[in-house]
Amino acid sequence: MSVAVQSGRGVAAVRSQRWAPALAALLALLLILAAAEIVIDGAAGLSPLIPKSPDIASWLGGIGERLGYRVFLIALLVSTGAYAGLIALARRAASPISTRWAIVLVAALQLIVFAGPILLSTDVFSYIAYARMGVEHGLNPYTHGPVAIASDPVFQYVGHDWELVATAYGPLYTLLSYPLALLGVVGALWAMKLEALLASAGTLALVWRCARVRGFDPVAAILVVGANPLYVIYGLGGAHNDMLMMLAMMAAVSLTLMRAPSARREAGAAAWVVAGALIKATVAVLLPFMIVSKRRLAPILGTVAALALGALAGYAAFGIHGIDIVAALNRDAAFVSTDSFANEIAHLLGKPGVFPVDHDLLKAGLVLILLHLLWRTWRGYDWVAASGWALLAISVTSTWLLAWYILWPLPLAVVTRDRRLLLATLAVQALFIVHQISPLLAPVQ
Amino acid sequence: MSESAASEAALAADEERWRRLPSWLRPRTVELKGSGNLWLIETTLLVLVGIVLATATINDVARQTGINHRLIADLKTWRHYTGHDYHNISVDQETLGSASQREVLCGNTSPGGPKARTQLCLAIWGPVVNGRRSVHGGWYLPPYAEDLPSERYGCFGAAAQGRCPR
């Protein structure tokens, strides 16, 4: 009897070995086709999903049709389904996906999106506008909104909501973006796209390295991050500076995971976190976890030195406003987006939206979560996992939730032993995608 | 001395230094064992939060879908009422109250770009019957004008009472 059962299992295993590579190839193909569909249709222009932009993808024009919500959402859902299937296959003991094919797939997805128009967000034009304000017009982007350069060619592309808003990004990012302003609007746009692509490649290389050091399958790790539909379509598609922030974050994690840790490396890791925070402040949340976990002087010294250097450079370039990141964070924390969970819960409770008191409740909830995570880290819990939970908690409790915010914990989630973090991150991303589908159920024309 | 050897020596010195501290202050390579319930409590809380977020998301999708159905009926009503199959029609959900499910739809009275011609605004509410809702009045706007009380003229119907300055 048991021999028969074993033999049956063996046959099933052999069959599964046979169809798994074909299924993986099919899912990879679906991911590529869905991304290509969005990019090619997006290049046709005149779409509510494609921001007004200089014509950088006209060479793809004429192949597709105008990108509407229906096609976009179907492509997004197909991507998500294919991604889920691919991840399930990649995480099996006998993965049918070879290293070479995983790298080819991830590279293909990134290059397809790189070649196309800016997707789903006007943020990159704000980055360019802030750079041009400083370089071309001699204005401080920390004290003026893009409206101050209304005659500049980039102004027409800046999102309506951001015309009056001074930059909320760190001084390091603003200084890094300054040379790009000299390239003109189209040149700067390509440079921003290239910067996001290279940052993504760097992040994936570091994810690979960290996964291998920690004994995880690096192929599954880079597939989870690099083939993620939100990462590819929203993050890279919008050329968001979150990609740079994640690169700095993973550089820090990578340094602490060296086989032979040293004070210099730990100080360097802390300095990388500070550098990330000087790009986008959110990543600073990693520092307390790193410091509590290491309990050495080196990360504190690294933090102080990098912060002093960054503050000095920020102050020299932009004055006191350039280093007042707290004010910028407070301002942005007051915004409310339709996709935020806080807004959804308000609707569930019969309220029209989020009230000021809700902001306070959410902040209190976030502080409690962070304190719990710090306590766990003090007791020896993995600081990388704690940092991932902290980033996830920040995005879930934020009233201003955008797709690229729920990417932050993903590279950390694939290099930690607490599998709940990866599940929770992917579940939050899945809910975000589900929240987009109402135009598919009732298309308004 | 090679870098790795130096690093190992530094680590050994580091370890020695930590031994002088009480155990609760030393860095840990593994997490302290608790009562065993912490993981369970955390996971239970995570599942509960997940259920709340999933419920809120599905509720919001249903709510948005409902709003979209209403807007589809409103657009159909405007096109039926005016006899124009235009697509550049603006929908305002604030003028008659954001939670009232009463909308004001404005569109051109002759072919042209968005708001480029005299616009006809209709106040629409009520249940959806045969894919349309009822028109309870309206007003006109000059070309390129926003729907502000000072711009309105030719008000008609019960919904427009007191909304026109002239």
Side-chain angles (χ1 to χ4, degrees):
Chain A
M1 183 71 174
S2 68
V3 173
V5 169
Q6 275 187 0
S7 144
R9 276 187 196 148
V11 170
V14 168
R15 272 192 198 141
S16 131
Q17 289 292 343
R18 212 174 288 157
W19 57 253
L23 181 61
L26 176 70
L27 295 172
L29 190 65
L30 283 175
L31 269 172
I32 286 177
L33 288 177
E37 176 72 36
I38 290 171
V39 166
I40 289 171
D41 280 3
L46 275 175
S47 162
L49 294 152
I50 305 296
K52 187 181 171 192
S53 163
D55 197 4
I56 60 165
S58 55
W59 62 284
L60 288 169
I63 308 173
E65 293 176 359
R66 193 181 76 92
L67 183 64
Y69 278 103
R70 190 168 174 276
V71 169
F72 172 75
L73 289 170
I74 290 172
L76 185 62
L77 291 175
V78 167
S79 281
T80 308
Y83 169 75
L86 206 62
I87 296 313
L89 284 176
R91 293 175 70 87
R92 283 165 27 134
S95 168
I97 304 160
S98 69
T99 304
R100 183 182 298 171
W101 280 109
I103 293 172
V104 166
L105 170 64
V106 169
L109 288 169
Q110 320 263 313
L111 289 172
I112 287 169
V113 171
F114 173 73
I118 292 292
L119 303 174
L120 300 154
S121 166
T122 59
D123 283 7
V124 70
F125 298 110
S126 293
Y127 308 159
I128 298 172
Y130 295 133
R132 289 181 66 82
M133 280 167 73
V135 174
E136 299 284 336
H137 302 273
L139 292 171
N140 185 344
Y142 289 89
T143 53
H144 297 82
V147 73
I149 54 162
S151 58
D152 190 278
V154 77
F155 180 72
Q156 58 181 311
Y157 307 119
V158 174
H160 181 67
D161 293 340
W162 307 109
E163 289 173 358
L164 298 168
V165 182
T167 182
Y169 306 114
L172 177 60
Y173 180 72
T174 308
L175 285 173
L176 284 175
S177 66
Y178 266 22
L180 309 186
L182 300 169
L183 304 173
V185 176
V186 173
L189 188 54
W190 275 114
M192 292 274 179
K193 280 172 77 71
L194 185 64
E195 184 184 87
L197 180 74
L198 294 177
S200 168
T203 303
L204 292 170
L206 291 169
V207 163
W208 178 284
R209 194 194 160 278
C210 293
R212 209 166 54 179
V213 169
R214 285 204 148 178
F216 300 119
D217 177 10
V219 173
I222 62 155
L223 278 176
V224 170
V225 180
N228 183 284
L230 294 187
Y231 184 90
V232 174
I233 296 167
Y234 285 83
L236 202 56
H240 288 283
N241 57 10
D242 301 66
M243 311 307 277
L244 267 181
M245 186 198 88
M246 286 193 285
L247 174 66
M249 176 177 83
M250 290 314 292
V253 172
S254 178
L255 272 177
T256 64
L257 295 184
M258 290 284 190
R259 285 206 173 86
S262 69
R264 198 193 301 170
R265 281 182 189 137
E266 287 179 359
W272 268 112
V273 176
V274 173
L278 293 173
I279 291 169
K280 201 161 187 171
T282 324
V283 78
V285 79
L286 269 73
L287 278 173
F289 298 105
M290 184 192 283
I291 290 168
V292 163
S293 165
K294 301 296 171 193
R295 293 182 210 178
R296 287 186 237 268
L297 200 57
I300 298 172
L301 291 178
T303 303
V304 172
L307 207 54
L309 204 65
L312 203 66
Y315 184 76
F318 309 111
I320 192 69
H321 300 284
I323 53 175
D324 193 1
I325 295 172
V326 177
L329 284 180
N330 274 338
R331 185 193 67 205
D332 285 8
F335 297 156
V336 178
S337 69
T338 51
D339 285 320
S340 72
F341 289 105
N343 203 42
E344 292 176 18
I345 291 171
H347 290 155
L348 183 66
L349 300 175
K351 296 182 354 177
V354 179
F355 286 85
V357 66
D358 300 324
H359 286 277
D360 297 336
L361 286 173
L362 289 163
K363 278 180 194 162
L366 179 61
V367 167
L368 284 178
I369 294 168
L370 295 181
L371 287 175
H372 173 74
L373 289 167
L374 276 173
W375 173 71
R376 290 275 322 257
T377 309
W378 178 264
R379 289 168 54 85
Y381 182 62
D382 177 16
W383 78 270
V384 179
S387 302
W389 283 116
L391 288 171
L392 186 63
I394 288 172
S395 56
V396 168
T397 56
S398 169
T399 56
W400 182 248
L401 179 64
L402 301 168
W404 40 100
Y405 294 0
I406 40 179
L407 297 175
W408 300 335
L410 194 59
L412 302 180
V414 292
V415 298
T416 58
R417 298 204 188 284
D418 192 342
R419 299 286 85 185
R420 296 176 302 176
L421 177 59
L422 181 58
L423 279 175
T425 304
L426 294 178
V428 166
Q429 292 191 351
L431 289 177
F432 182 92
I433 290 170
V434 167
H435 195 243
Q436 310 305 306
I437 64 170
S438 57
L440 197 61
L441 303 174
V444 179
Q445 288 169 343
Chain B
M1 191 190 275
S2 73
E3 196 189 340
S4 66
S7 161
E8 274 170 29
L11 270 179
D14 223 21
E15 293 296 324
E16 191 54 44
R17 213 177 308 141
W18 289 122
R19 279 200 200 110
R20 288 184 215 142
L21 286 172
S23 63
W24 62 275
L25 268 178
R26 287 179 213 156
R28 302 180 202 288
T29 47
V30 286
E31 190 170 5
L32 284 178
K33 280 187 181 165
S35 63
N37 287 334
L38 187 59
W39 190 90
L40 192 63
I41 294 168
E42 282 179 345
T43 308
T44 308
L45 279 174
L46 280 172
V47 170
L48 288 175
V49 169
I51 291 170
V52 171
L53 295 184
T55 310
T57 302
I58 290 164
N59 172 69
D60 222 38
V61 170
R63 178 182 160 277
Q64 283 177 4
T65 307
I67 292 171
N68 283 5
H69 275 302
R70 210 171 70 227
L71 294 183
I72 291 165
D74 289 348
L75 290 169
K76 200 173 168 187
T77 307
W78 192 94
R79 288 173 190 141
H80 182 260
Y81 191 91
T82 61
H84 297 309
D85 190 24
Y86 298 157
H87 287 260
N88 284 320
I89 300 165
S90 64
V91 181
D92 169 40
Q93 297 179 294
E94 303 290 326
T95 303
L96 302 176
S98 56
S100 67
Q101 303 198 352
R102 297 177 175 199
E103 269 93 47
V104 174
L105 280 81
C106 299
N108 288 337
T109 50
S110 58
K115 300 184 180 181
R117 304 281 186 266
T118 297
Q119 301 163 69
L120 172 58
C121 298
L122 298 178
I124 299 172
W125 66 78
V128 178
V129 180
N130 293 329
R132 296 197 294 270
R133 302 209 292 166
S134 303
V135 176
H136 293 267
W139 50 84
Y140 289 86
L141 297 173
Y144 297 110
E146 296 299 322
D147 183 16
L148 300 170
S150 57
E151 300 283 358
R152 294 171 188 157
Y153 67 93
C155 282
F156 58 93
Q161 277 183 0
R163 292 187 184 274
C164 273
R166 43 188 158 141

